[in-house]
């Protein structure tokens, strides 16, 4: 109980003719890094907005640090970066950071903020309305970190970032995760979820259709396979008899064996001595899992 | 408390860097004042009275402008650019944010009043008693309240362009018909009777009375107060309607 940061209980949000989030329940413990995935319109932003207290659930309860989302002591401890980049016209980056830091009891030092987000000395003196898109995102990230929050919630944080910024962003997030901060983010980049999250909440049509580690989701859905090269004349008959093998076929000289027990297959390959070399284990990928679970094509993810 | 001070400071910085503000609320009134007391000949009026009268007109014009335009347009900007949402997500309490804006706006008004009064004193060597300077300044500061509520009404608009357009027109109409550019007495009768019901006329009129050794009339105070109440109720009503959607 102590270490629970966030809890949603049967949360539903309906707009006029549309149920955007339907009976969603989950809880998140301190230090967890969670990715929220799902196709367009699945209810990710709506869920995040309710957690932040920007929208009220139609029914159901949301508790953050055992309190309501709107309470000021909750606001001291959480921070976000919204999909829309917000800047305050008329101030330069340095002034705006000073201003926001003054709202918090234990703000991060300015030097840390600069170091963590990759803002430059030059950026600091620039008026916010004159920043480039990427610089605005960096400022937005710095604003998100300014209060040294315990829980960070990001809705599609890396949209519009170049590769360097993206890399920088995830490096920083991982640093925070290692310090025991709790992080929740939504993304359409499955690789990001795979690389950075310990837990994936997969949304579809307003409900959670999967909630587990990236590995579990992958193994639950897609078949694992072992593939290897061998002399085309070698007979594979000896393998056919084993019950662990679900399917076996040749494609361009490479033999593919589908099975849930890839370790056992490897053992077999070495025992039978059929001259298998260049052996590879394919453990299924998240995209495949994603499209199976949501019934979507890869293109629309 | 630190947050409140910082917020006030930044609000003031932002306004001073706003080109709209510097142009409409400082440069224009001083320029007009110079032209209509030095360049254009207004010999049918007593010069000393006219110079003090017109200084009050121009200061009222300035304060009215920053109340309606600067505040209104900025509110729309902050909302459309997501800044209001951003602030809502920080631990800054709403009352602190609101009062910092009000304090910031008042300091800006005090600054404008001081600068324009100084300019007038320098340009035309106006001699008012210290009490008259003080009371007219105070009147202009407090009398700006109905115009600030017009500003918050404009601030409820959806687009910056509409807000800028509407506030510009409103500002000019109020200024001209309220006798801020030219005294109502020299205007056609119909204009005069309209002008006597506008808040801008009563705003200016209070200050004109003070510099002529009098005091704002009850009518000035009652009409400005009535506008304030009506506008506040109206903006509360509209805001509630917007939230309901
Ligand atoms: N203010 C609103 N009024 C009416 N319907 C809304 C509103 N906001 C969201 N919706 C609907 O709720 C559903 C969920 O939207 P939401 O923005 O949460 O999706 P999302 O998962 O964030 O999608 P995306 O990946 O495109 O960002 C959508 O069908 C959307 O049309
Ligand atoms: Mg979204």
């Amino acid at each position: 109980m102590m270490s629970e940061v966030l809890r949603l209980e049967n949360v539903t949000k309906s707009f006029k003719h549309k149920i955007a989030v339907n009976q969603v329940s989950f809880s998140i413990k301190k230090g967890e890094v969670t990715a929220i995935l799902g196709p367009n319109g699945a209810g990710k932003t709506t869920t995040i907005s309710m957690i932040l207290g920007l929208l009220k659930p139609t029914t159901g309860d949301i508790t953050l640090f055992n309190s309501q989302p709107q309470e000021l002591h909750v606001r001291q401890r959480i921070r976000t970066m919204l999909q829309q980049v917000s800047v305050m016209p008329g101030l330069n980056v340095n002034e705006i950071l000073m201003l926001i830091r003054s709202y918090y009891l234990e703000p991060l030092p300015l030097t840390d903020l600069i170091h963590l987000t990759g803002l430059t000395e030059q950026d600091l003196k620039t008026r916010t309305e004159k920043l480039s898109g990427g610089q605005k995102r960096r400022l937005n990230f710095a604003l998100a970190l300014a209060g040294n929050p315990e829980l960070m919630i990001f809705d599609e944080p890396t949209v519009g970032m170049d590769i360097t910024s993206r890399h920088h962003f995830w490096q920083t997030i991982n640093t925070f995760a290692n310090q025991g901060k709790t992080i929740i983010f939504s993304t359409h980049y499955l690789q990001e979820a795979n690389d950075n999250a310990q837990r994936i909440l997969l949304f579809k049509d307003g409900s959670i259709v999967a909630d587990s580690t990236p590995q579990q989701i992958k193994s639950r859905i897609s078949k694992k396979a072992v593939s290897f090269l061998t002399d085309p004349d070698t007979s594979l008959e000896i393998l056919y008899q084993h019950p662990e093998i679900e399917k076996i076929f040749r494609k361009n000289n490479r033999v593919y064996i589908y099975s849930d027990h890839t370790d056992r297959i490897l053992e077999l390959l070495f025992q039978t001595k059929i001259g298998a070399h260049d052996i590879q284990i394919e453990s299924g990928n998240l995209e495949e899992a994603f499209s199976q679970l949501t019934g979507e094509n890869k293109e629309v993810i | 408390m630190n947050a409140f001070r910082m917020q006030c400071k930044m609000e003031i910085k932002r306004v001073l860097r706003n080109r709209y503000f510097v142009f409409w609320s400082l440069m224009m009134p001083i320029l007009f004042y110079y032209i209509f007391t030095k360049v254009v000949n207004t010999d049918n009026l007593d010069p000393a009275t006219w110079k003090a009268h017109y200084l009050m007109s121009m200061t009222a014009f300035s304060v009215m402008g920053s109340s309606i335009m600067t505040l209104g347009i900025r509110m729309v900007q902050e909302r459309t650019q997501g800044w209001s949402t951003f602030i809502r997500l920080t631990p800054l309490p709403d009352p602190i944010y609101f009062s910092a804006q009000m304090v910031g706006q008042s300091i800006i008004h005090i600054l404008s009043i001081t600068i324009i009064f100084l300019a007038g004193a320098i340009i035309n060597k106006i001699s008012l008693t210290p009490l008259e300077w003080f009371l007219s300044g105070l009147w202009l500061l407090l009398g700006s309240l109905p115009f600030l509520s017009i500003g918050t009404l404009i601030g409820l608009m959806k687009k910056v362009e509409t807000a800028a357009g509407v506030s510009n027109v409103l500002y000019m109409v109020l200024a001209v018909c309220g006798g801020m550019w030219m005294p109502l007495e020299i205007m056609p009768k119909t204009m005069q009777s309209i002008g006597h019901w506008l808040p801008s006329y009563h705003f200016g009129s209070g200050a004109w009375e003070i510099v002529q050794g009098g005091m704002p009339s009850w009518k000035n105070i009652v009409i400005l107060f009535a506008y304030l109440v009506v506008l506040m109720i109206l903006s509360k009503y509209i805001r509630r309607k917007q939230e309901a959607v």
Side-chain angles (χ1 to χ4, degrees), chain B residues 178-214:
Chain B
M180 284 181 179
W181 283 6
M182 278 295 130
L184 271 191
E185 288 71 36
I186 64 168
M187 290 191 196
K189 267 276 173 294
T190 37
M191 287 282 275
Q192 284 193 31
S193 44
I194 296 172
H196 284 132
W197 288 102
L198 292 178
S200 47
Y201 170 75
H202 292 277
F203 185 40
S205 170
W208 297 327
E209 295 293 339
I210 292 173
V211 295
Q212 276 154 38

Side-chain angles (χ1 to χ4, degrees), chain A residues 15 18 20 39-46 83 156 188:
Chain A
F15 296 106
K18 164 108 202 154
N40 288 129
K44 303 181 296 294
T45 301
T46 309
Q83 270 176 336
E156 298 187 35
H188 287 294

Side-chain angles (χ1 to χ4, degrees), chain B residues 114-167:
Chain B
T114 313
I115 291 176
I116 299 172
F117 276 11
L118 271 176
I122 293 165
I123 293 171
N124 280 320
K125 301 192 188 59
I126 291 175
S127 58
L128 296 177
T129 64
L131 187 68
E132 282 171 339
W133 280 121
F134 175 74
L135 284 180
S136 53
L138 189 67
W139 169 261
L140 291 170
L141 187 64
L142 295 179
S144 66
L145 281 172
F147 303 103
L148 285 172
S149 51
I150 295 181
T152 55
L153 261 182
I154 299 224
L156 296 175
M157 292 181 173
K158 292 260 164 354
K159 282 210 209 121
V160 174
E161 292 75 27
T162 11
V166 170
S167 56

Side-chain angles (χ1 to χ4, degrees), chain A residues 80-97:
Chain A
T80 184
M81 211 161 78
L82 295 169
Q83 270 176 336
Q84 188 189 17
V85 183
S86 50
V87 291
M88 195 188 216
L91 295 179
N92 67 33
V93 171
N94 183 43
E95 288 165 336
I96 211 164
L97 287 174

Side-chain angles (χ1 to χ4, degrees), chain A residues 181-196:
Chain A
K181 310 254 182 203
T182 314
I183 292 153
I184 302 171
F185 65 94
S186 77
T187 182
H188 287 294
Y189 301 104
L190 300 178
Q191 198 59 44
E192 285 189 340
N194 191 38
D195 295 349
N196 301 291

